[in-house]
Amino acid sequence: GVDYRLELIGDRATVTLSGSWSAGTVVQTLGYSNTSLSPTESDRTVSLISLTDSGGVENSGQDSQLFDPEITSLIHVTTNNTPPSVTQGVTAVEYVEAEPATLLFSNAQVDTIEDGQQLIELVLTVSGIADGASEQLWVGSDFIVLDGSTPSGTVAGQSYTVEEHDGTAIVTLSNLAGWNEGEIIHALGYKNTSSAPTETDRTVSIVSLTDSGGIEDGGENFQIFNPKVTTTVSVVNVNAAPVLTL
């Protein structure tokens, strides 16, 4: 029930509140909030400049008090880390036999929220695996065999582990140095080197992401996606000419 007027000049906002309330009620309930996910960590100064009451100015009375010095509160703004996010783009792609790897998340929007951070770990699953070592997850110009026959190693300069159970591979990429925000996700692709790939869909899902922001002051650097960020891959088998061996 309080009217207000706001004037912003440079970085100073002057707010005038007008209405009718009990003495002290509005002043005691004043507060500061910042809804930015990455607020600037500089002090904010809130100053009470003047107050006016309902007594009027009859008989040389005064109803307005201009405070000199102003009554001031200093606010220290502290940021804490927000977990990274991924906004899905394309949700279905096609892989054609013998073609290069098909990109999976090329137009997804990836954000660590705070400036200057990097992704440090990515966990994803590939389900529907049916062709053993022919099924590959590509990272840029390098790949991981998804059947788990090579359970750990390096790919595109990053460490990885892979486990395969009942047609689903769980891949963890870590130590993601050298990749700017989102680049490694945009570089993920699927390829099948079989000459007769099984024409069932493969489902590739981002399970979680971790960034370099840490967990100080109650921050979070780890995001589990629910629902998962998923792309479905349709595998197309291309007929090969018959071969005669003498």
Side-chain angles (χ1 to χ4, degrees):
V2 178
D3 296 326
Y4 74 89
R5 185 175 71 253
L6 172 66
E7 182 181 14
L8 179 63
I9 300 176
D11 63 353
R12 182 182 176 95
T14 300
V15 181
T16 301
L17 300 175
S18 58
S20 179
W21 52 85
S22 300
T25 302
V26 168
V27 174
Q28 292 167 358
T29 58
L30 293 174
Y32 171 85
S33 178
N34 192 319
T35 61
S36 171
L37 294 177
S38 183
T40 302
E41 287 190 297
S42 58
D43 291 344
R44 312 303 197 264
T45 303
V46 181
S47 300
L48 188 60
I49 298 173
S50 66
L51 279 177
T52 303
D53 65 25
S54 60
V57 295
E58 290 78 5
N59 301 317
S60 300
Q62 295 182 353
D63 63 352
S64 181
Q65 173 72 40
L66 186 66
F67 298 106
D68 185 17
E70 298 169 353
I71 300 172
T72 296
S73 288
L74 187 65
I75 302 168
H76 301 292
V77 177
T78 302
T79 185
N80 55 25
N81 190 38
T82 304
S85 68
V86 177
T87 302
Q88 176 70 298
V90 173
T91 58
V93 297
E94 183 178 81
Y95 173 74
V96 178
E97 178 190 339
E99 292 293 320
T102 295
L103 292 176
L104 300 165
F105 304 101
S106 59
N107 65 342
Q109 298 180 25
V110 184
D111 193 355
T112 59
I113 311 301
E114 290 81 11
D115 293 337
Q117 295 183 8
Q118 291 182 322
L119 301 180
I120 60 174
E121 185 175 270
L122 164 64
V123 179
L124 52 91
T125 60
V126 183
S127 61
I129 294 172
D131 297 318
S134 296
E135 309 225 22
Q136 301 171 345
L137 177 72
W138 281 67
V139 183
S141 59
D142 205 354
F143 65 88
I144 299 168
V145 176
L146 291 172
D147 69 344
S149 56
T150 305
S152 63
T154 58
V155 59
Q158 318 307 313
S159 301
Y160 79 85
T161 62
V162 58
E163 303 177 34
E164 191 273 333
H165 302 285
D166 299 324
T168 297
I170 303 172
V171 180
T172 301
L173 298 169
S174 55
N175 301 321
L176 305 181
W179 295 86
N180 292 327
E181 181 181 83
E183 282 185 352
I184 196 163
I185 291 176
H186 295 154
L188 294 173
Y190 172 84
K191 182 177 175 66
N192 193 316
T193 61
S194 172
S195 59
T198 303
E199 286 192 308
T200 53
D201 290 347
R202 312 309 195 262
T203 302
V204 184
S205 300
I206 297 175
V207 177
S208 67
L209 277 178
T210 306
D211 68 24
S212 60
I215 58 174
E216 291 77 11
D217 297 316
E220 298 180 31
N221 66 344
F222 179 68
Q223 177 78 285
I224 297 177
F225 296 101
N226 185 20
K228 299 171 184 176
V229 181
T230 296
T231 295
T232 300
V233 184
S234 301
V235 177
V236 179
N237 189 340
V238 178
N239 187 44
V243 176
L244 175 63
T245 302
L246 299 177

